[in-house]
Amino acid sequence: MKANYGYMDGSGEYFITIDTDLCIDCDHHGCVDACPEKLFEIITDDYDDEVSAIKEDHRKKIKYDCAACKPAGDRPPLPCAEACTPGAITHSW
Amino acid sequence: MTEVKVKEFWRWKEYNWHDENKDWKGAETITAGVDVGSVSSQVVIMVDGELYAYSNMRTGSDSPDSARNAMNWALEDTGMALDDIHYIVGTGYGRVNVPFANRAITEIACHARGGNYMYGPSVRTILDMGGQDCKAIRCDERGKVTNFLMNDKCAAGTGRGMEVFADLLAVSIEDVGDLSLDVEEEPEPVSSTCVVFAKSEATSLLREGWSKKKVLAAYCSAMAHRVVSLLDRIGVEEDFAITGGIAKNSGVIKRLEGELKINSLKSKHDTQIAGALGGALFAKSLAEKQRKKGA
């Protein structure tokens, strides 16, 4: 399942997509510790699978929470995407 | 002093229903789904996997009370009591506040499962246009979610936005859709990014002499446009179905179908009960799982 966490408003679309079909097989969930803002958590989803998700209280402000990892100009690799060995995490902006 | 009674144009009809021809007493599994949404609450009761009763009412300021009221109304005149139900799933915004639920499941999973029951296994894309959010869901032939996206940051493209317009124009919420289609020429949509901006834009248009129908057409068109951009992100695969209260608004649906160039599936069931229906179906699977474990 592709779970899109975030929102769209007049300024653009801000979604972090987690492909839970890939996430399901990960045994270390590096994203949880890699994110400096601690956006990620491990949940048991509706189908009883343990997967990574964006915490509820961050979902409506991820544009701002992720801002530190997305400087203008040269953009370094995103810590969450880099730590995700199955390649399950993508950002829409 | 004379009290002025203000008519609430946004207020939609609340109702309950049960199948009088069905005898639930000999049933093996009775389950229920309780969908406590931000604007409306529904309860669906299923007897051996078949729809038996449901209720649909406005959510109050207290989620547990709303859940209890909706459940009591669904049970009304059935002879069934809460204790007769084997497994209950809570869903919607207030899912964790359903005091008698055995488990809480997200409305995304429940809408996919409910949509699969209502529209059949061929449905691949479900758009739930709810009271205060909009969910675009892709699912497989079993009603399992494969991709989803929810926008609940603002009221644009939601039922609450439509209620604001019904009140502003003093038009019954149930007439909005048909009236909006009764225009000679389709106007430019109003702001689709914010209900507050759309409302002030509509007020200006009324002052310019636009008819109510034309303003409604402009808002329904904006709403359809807004939702299409949400659907574009996950991609629309046929068959396509719409659930939630806005699915009853022909003005939005016709314009949405026009933009997507796809006709949405129709169901004999009420589109507002999809989430609770999905909850009741999940409850059936969970009750059977629990029974197997106990055996």
Side-chain angles (χ1 to χ4, degrees), chain B residues 13-14 29 57 62 71 93 106 132 138 205 207 221 242 246 250 252 262 266 288 291:
Chain B
K13 276 186 199 129
E14 298 171 304
T29 314
M57 65 198 303
D62 184 283
M71 176 58 85
Y93 273 89
T106 66
Q132 282 187 22
R138 291 272 297 268
L205 293 172
R207 288 207 187 107
S221 178
I242 305 168
I246 298 288
S250 56
V252 176
I262 294 174
K266 305 291 174 243
E288 286 167 354
R291 201 171 289 151

Side-chain angles (χ1 to χ4, degrees), chain B residues 9-10 26 35 56 69 77 83 85 91 95 112 130 143 156 159 166 171 179 194 196 200 211 244-245 275 294:
Chain B
F9 292 97
W10 55 264
D35 183 356
N56 179 19
N69 291 340
D77 298 330
D83 290 345
I85 303 172
T91 185
R95 63 182 175 274
V171 171
L179 284 175
C194 173
V196 179
S200 64
S211 67

Side-chain angles (χ1 to χ4, degrees), chain B residues 36 59-69 97:
Chain B
V36 182
T59 300
S61 55
D62 184 283
S63 290
D65 269 356
S66 299
R68 267 188 288 268
N69 291 340
N97 288 319

